Structures are given as C-alpha cells and as structure tokens.
Amino acid sequence: KAGVTQTPRYLIKTRGQQVTLSCSPISGHRSVSWYQQTPGQGLQFLFEYFSETQRNKGNFPGRFSGRQFSNSRSEMNVSTLELGDSALYLCASSLGALGETQYFGPGTRLLVL
Amino acid sequence: AQSVTQPDIHITVSEGASLELRCNYSYGATPYLFWYVQSPGQGLQLLLKYFSGDTLVQGIKGFEAEFKRSQSSFNLRKPSVHWSDAAEYFCAVSNNNDMRFGAGTRLTVKP
C-alpha cells in the first residue's frame, strides 16, 4: 500500500499571502489529521476530518482551515500568513478514530518571509 | 487538561548500551498512548501503542514500553541501542477527540 503523501514538500510564501497544502491518505483510511510542528511549540494538533466533516479541532485561529473530499484526500489552507506560521505541516491518516494508529506523511515545510 | 511531559530534552548513549526514555501524562482516564520516532526532515513513524490489556507493549525495531497507571507513565526502553536509533522520539496521548504530543527527546548515539 502506498503511504501518506503530501504536496508540495517545500513552500516559500510571503506575509499576507495564503497557502493550500494537500494530503492523500492511505487507501481505505477515512480519517485525516493535520499537525503543525515548530521548534518553539513542538507538535500541535490542528484538526481532524472524517468522511468530509471536521470532527475535531485544536486550538488554532480561524486562519487555519481545511476540508476533505469524497476520496478522503484533504487540503489545509492558511490565510493571511504570518511569520510564525513557518513550520513543518504534517498530515496523518487512520482507519477511523483519532485514537487509532495514525500514519504520517513526510510533511510540507512552509517558510513565510 | 490533557498533557504529556517528556522530561529529557536530549539523551546521549553509547552504542550497545540500554536506553530508557521517560514519558508522563496527565489525563482523567487512561488515554491511548503512543511512541513515535522522527528522523531529521521526515514524518513520524509509530514505534508502539497502548490501548488496554498487557501493560508491557512490544514495538518495532526492538523497542518496548511499559504502562504504569499508578505513575501515569509510559516509558520507552530498548536493551541495546544501535547507531541508527539516533533520532527524535515523541510520546503522544489521545482520547479520540484530541492528540497531544510531548516536546520530544533527541537521542544521540555515541560510537
């Protein structure tokens, strides 16, 4: 089975712009979660989608949003980028619940200038 | 509030020596517990997980972890470390509504 894939792998944006990141889960997985990883804050949970619905949400501002398509692929959008949004964004997929084993993609490294 | 603490930011061990990475959690009920490993520039790979049952859990790459409810701990162990084990290790907890990670422990392996 192919693993979780994320595109693009690297991205450079400037403050104020918006960005969309994509995640393709493992075939058959219906849950997709997003995480932000920074040196200062570590790994933080952004949100989880299941069957095209946001099921759980972390403590991030509304500039961070996402969606999931009928094929379980997910996108994450960050609007009005700030310097502090520079991070590694990780996507993970699982069969069902958030507490089940999650399989992580390689991440998208976003640099905001 | 749910939280995970990894007290050791950085640990250095010699190749062949034993390893123990500490993890303590704070949560009202026993959550799902995980250990993940991350190599530089990579995503996270699951080493092992605990949901219920036997408190000693075996994982991949020769790792094991023991769940101790009385101490709210889930420490990761390996009897003999290999140079390829050098990486960052994350303990995580989940209750199906949230996923919390510890700050991570960076492992350096001396030859």
Side-chain angles (χ1 to χ4, degrees):
Chain A
K1 257 187 193 176
V4 177
T5 58
Q6 293 186 244
T7 57
R9 291 294 310 277
Y10 303 93
L11 207 48
I12 299 175
K13 292 285 188 179
T14 55
R15 276 183 301 173
Q17 287 187 311
Q18 74 164 21
V19 67
T20 299
L21 312 182
S22 181
C23 172
S24 293
I26 291 172
S27 177
H29 285 193
R30 297 170 65 189
S31 169
V32 174
S33 300
W34 289 89
Y35 299 86
Q36 182 196 64
Q37 186 176 25
T38 60
Q41 299 298 316
L43 272 159
Q44 296 185 88
F45 171 67
L46 280 155
F47 33 64
E48 181 217 6
Y49 283 85
F50 182 83
S51 292
E52 302 179 63
T53 301
Q54 188 181 87
R55 184 163 66 174
N56 292 295
K57 187 177 188 302
N59 189 26
F60 276 80
R63 299 186 298 109
F64 292 83
S65 63
R67 59 178 176 167
Q68 187 180 34
F69 302 94
S70 58
N71 62 357
S72 293
R73 189 177 71 84
S74 176
E75 288 181 348
M76 189 192 91
N77 185 274
V78 188
S79 62
T80 320
L81 284 166
E82 301 176 359
L83 295 179
D85 296 333
S86 295
L88 180 68
Y89 289 89
L90 293 164
C91 162
S93 74
S94 68
L95 281 169
L98 189 60
E100 293 184 23
T101 300
Q102 294 188 55
Y103 296 85
F104 283 79
T108 294
R109 187 163 294 281
L110 171 65
L111 177 61
V112 181
L113 302 176
Chain B
Q2 195 176 357
S3 67
V4 186
T5 302
Q6 292 180 247
D8 305 305
I9 296 174
H10 184 206
I11 284 182
T12 299
V13 299
S14 297
E15 191 169 14
S18 64
L19 170 71
E20 182 168 26
L21 302 182
R22 296 182 290 164
C23 173
N24 292 96
Y25 67 92
S26 173
Y27 191 62
T30 301
Y32 302 125
L33 297 160
F34 308 85
W35 274 100
Y36 284 90
V37 62
Q38 185 179 35
S39 298
Q42 302 297 313
L44 278 69
Q45 181 183 23
L46 179 70
L47 288 174
L48 46 77
K49 61 186 179 186
Y50 174 78
F51 288 169
S52 65
D54 192 348
T55 56
L56 186 62
V57 182
Q58 301 298 321
I60 62 171
K61 303 185 180 185
F63 286 93
E64 66 177 26
E66 186 171 13
F67 169 62
K68 292 185 177 180
R69 184 189 306 273
S70 61
Q71 298 176 19
S72 296
S73 69
F74 188 56
N75 294 349
L76 182 71
R77 300 193 295 248
K78 186 169 185 177
S80 178
V81 169
H82 188 262
W83 63 265
S84 61
D85 292 325
E88 185 128 23
Y89 292 79
F90 293 93
C91 179
V93 300
S94 177
N95 64 352
N96 279 334
N97 296 316
D98 190 13
M99 186 85 168
R100 299 284 177 108
F101 286 85
T105 298
R106 184 160 62 92
L107 174 65
T108 298
V109 180
K110 290 191 305 184

